[in-house]
Amino acid sequence: MKKIITIVLIALLACCAVFADTIDKVEYPELDLAFQPTMPKYDAMGQSGLAVPTKLDSFYTNPANLAVKRGLAFTVPSVSLTVYNLQKLIADEEAMETVNHIVDKTATDEEKIGLATKYLNNLGSGKNAIAKIDMGLGLQLGSLGLGTNVQIKIHSLNKGSSLASIYLIPEVNVAQTLGLGLKIIDTNALSLSLGASVHGVYKAYFKGIGGNTAITFVNNSDQIAETLLWDTPVMGGWALPVDAGVTLGLADDTFLICATANNLNGTYHMQSFAGAGYLINSLKEGTIEVPEGREEPGETVRFDVQTPWELNFGFAFAPDWSLLRPTITADLVDMLEMCQNIGKDSFRAEDLLLHLNLGAEVELLKLVTARVGINRGYMSVGAAVNLLLARVDLSYGWQEFGAEIGDKPVDSFTVKVIIGYDK
């Protein structure tokens, strides 16, 4: 774990360091701009589990879960870290030797630069991801859910095959979520729950940032803060995306079937700024003092970024047994286009496999949980340990970053620590 943390820190340092350069145009459509908090359980189970009403963050994907399992839950706070592209680095003996030297505080500047260079070169061509940090507060009171999240993501975009062609795109999300569920049928044999949630999201993302600069800043980070605040163009804006869900429960909610519409009204109203400092001062004037010699920027550019909504379906078998609690899930995700093609020549039933995510978990005595999943053909695993007022969730898996399945599988490791009551 100490080695992994060291690699993460090096990767984040490299990301922060590349903020000095810009390119003429960032291909914003290459980014997944829809907001979702980090959920290791969901990732470990093959990114499935829409119909599972366990754990507080389940209402982020299906707000009807608030009505299926009403009660009290809170997190104060939760903190998660996700790192991408670890497998290649860990398999490199020379890289791991450098990590050991960093842990022992005997690494030379050349070794640190070499490790950062390898990490960036491992990103390959096209789009990729570096890391994601997520901090949140959550509360469920009966059928009402509240959540606050601050999320930092680092994307990458490589237009060539060398370090000079790599550009990193930092993204920051601040979100406040309000969800409400309503159970309109409530019997042991049959239940029907409805739910809706709205996310007030403020999003900011920087212009593309050159990879060569990262290497020069690995051992010279004094100017990073100034570069971020005043020298790197940034775009910031808000949206009010809405999720809606309906869940049908059978046999005392042992069998669950759901449908969700996610990211409705997901249009971000953006504005450009010459640097993050100017953006922050636009939200509250005088928050950060502008350094002497710097002129206030002139007119800014306003534009909209539209993110598509998704139609998803979920199934779960989740018996509430006392000692051993198994759960089996199956989700059909991003189904809008396929549903529109039903009855047309372009519809092929075998294409459903490309939209199918499967997962399973076993929880023993509500203390230890093991998870496994398949996300459109890619494996994932995970585990959780429940303590009195805390939980640790882990997940590791692969997901597709290419245009087609099999083009560019990327591995990711997530650890999430939750303080609170969330059974």
Side-chain angles (χ1 to χ4, degrees):
M1 179 62 71
K2 195 172 184 180
K3 293 181 179 180
I4 292 175
I5 293 174
T6 302
I7 293 173
V8 172
L9 294 176
I10 292 172
L12 291 177
L13 178 59
C15 293
C16 294
V18 297
F19 290 169
D21 293 339
T22 64
I23 55 178
D24 293 335
K25 181 182 178 182
V26 175
E27 295 184 6
Y28 299 117
E30 291 289 329
L31 300 180
D32 179 12
L33 294 176
F35 170 76
Q36 187 179 76
T38 302
M39 297 181 289
K41 174 179 178 175
Y42 179 73
D43 293 336
M45 296 176 67
Q47 294 190 356
S48 69
L50 288 171
V52 180
T54 57
K55 308 309 176 191
L56 180 56
D57 55 10
S58 67
F59 87 91
Y60 282 98
T61 53
N62 180 9
N65 285 334
L66 288 167
V68 177
K69 188 172 183 179
R70 292 162 290 188
L72 172 66
F74 59 89
T75 57
V76 286
S78 65
V79 179
S80 67
L81 172 64
T82 302
V83 186
Y84 299 84
N85 302 280
L86 276 179
Q87 189 268 338
K88 289 183 179 179
L89 203 62
I90 293 176
D92 189 319
E93 293 183 1
E94 184 178 350
M96 296 313 298
E97 183 178 355
T98 300
V99 171
N100 287 329
H101 291 168
I102 293 174
V103 172
D104 298 336
K105 299 182 180 180
T106 60
T108 65
D109 292 346
E110 289 75 15
E111 286 180 312
K112 296 176 183 178
I113 291 174
L115 184 60
T117 302
K118 283 186 177 183
Y119 186 86
L120 294 179
N121 281 330
N122 285 342
L123 298 177
S125 61
K127 66 177 181 178
N128 209 316
I130 308 291
K132 178 172 61 175
I133 299 173
D134 205 323
M135 295 161 283
L137 301 171
L139 174 65
Q140 180 179 356
L141 287 172
S143 297
L144 177 69
L146 297 170
T148 300
N149 294 86
V150 177
Q151 186 182 84
I152 301 172
K153 302 169 69 175
I154 311 293
H155 309 271
S156 73
L157 182 64
N158 190 351
K159 293 189 172 184
S161 58
S162 67
L163 185 64
S165 63
I166 296 176
Y167 294 90
L168 305 185
I169 306 168
E171 175 189 341
V172 179
N173 292 288
V174 179
Q176 180 66 57
T177 299
L178 172 63
L180 181 64
L182 177 64
K183 181 169 282 192
I184 58 177
I185 299 177
D186 188 6
T187 68
N188 291 336
L190 176 69
S191 68
L192 182 63
S193 301
L194 307 177
S197 62
V198 59
H199 311 276
V201 184
Y202 191 91
K203 179 186 298 292
Y205 53 94
F206 291 77
K207 292 283 277 186
I209 309 194
N212 281 330
T213 308
I215 307 307
T216 63
F217 272 75
V218 167
N219 295 308
N220 182 19
S221 58
D222 295 340
Q223 297 182 353
I224 291 180
E226 182 178 356
T227 300
L228 277 173
L229 290 173
W230 312 113
D231 294 335
T232 305
V234 62
M235 295 74 174
W238 60 273
L240 292 172
V242 174
D243 297 335
V246 55
T247 298
L248 176 68
L250 303 171
D252 202 18
D253 291 338
T254 298
F255 298 93
L256 297 155
I257 303 170
C258 77
T260 67
N262 298 92
N263 202 47
L264 299 166
N265 191 46
T267 298
Y268 287 84
H269 307 284
M270 308 298 291
Q271 183 177 357
S272 67
F273 299 88
Y278 301 112
L279 184 155
I280 294 171
N281 285 340
S282 74
L283 299 175
K284 185 176 181 181
E285 187 175 354
T287 301
I288 300 179
E289 183 178 355
V290 179
E292 294 184 7
R294 292 186 178 272
E295 297 182 359
E296 291 284 349
E299 290 291 325
T300 60
V301 178
R302 296 179 182 272
F303 57 97
D304 290 341
V305 177
Q306 295 183 349
T307 59
W309 71 280
E310 288 189 356
L311 176 65
N312 308 298
F313 302 98
F315 166 82
F317 170 67
D320 191 9
W321 298 338
S322 57
L323 298 179
L324 193 66
R325 300 173 66 186
T327 301
I328 300 174
T329 60
D331 289 356
L332 288 169
V333 298
D334 198 12
M335 290 293 293
L336 180 60
E337 184 175 353
M338 285 208 69
C339 289
Q340 292 174 340
N341 290 334
I342 292 178
K344 300 180 180 179
D345 293 339
S346 57
F347 177 81
R348 298 189 308 171
E350 58 267 27
D351 289 342
L352 286 171
L353 295 176
L354 299 177
H355 297 259
L356 178 63
N357 294 345
L358 302 171
E361 73 169 6
V362 176
E363 185 177 70
L364 179 61
L365 297 174
K366 298 185 179 182
L367 296 177
V368 180
T369 306
R371 299 171 179 139
V372 65
I374 301 177
N375 172 15
R376 305 188 190 191
Y378 292 112
M379 292 293 299
S380 58
V381 294
V385 178
N386 295 307
L387 305 175
L388 181 60
L389 289 175
R391 186 172 82 249
V392 178
D393 276 346
L394 303 172
S395 70
Y396 180 80
W398 298 78
Q399 62 189 94
E400 183 58 61
F401 273 66
E404 302 289 341
I405 298 297
D407 284 354
K408 188 175 183 179
V410 173
D411 67 308
S412 64
F413 171 77
T414 297
V415 55
K416 184 173 185 178
V417 178
I418 301 168
I419 306 299
Y421 178 79
D422 186 15
K423 303 299 184 182

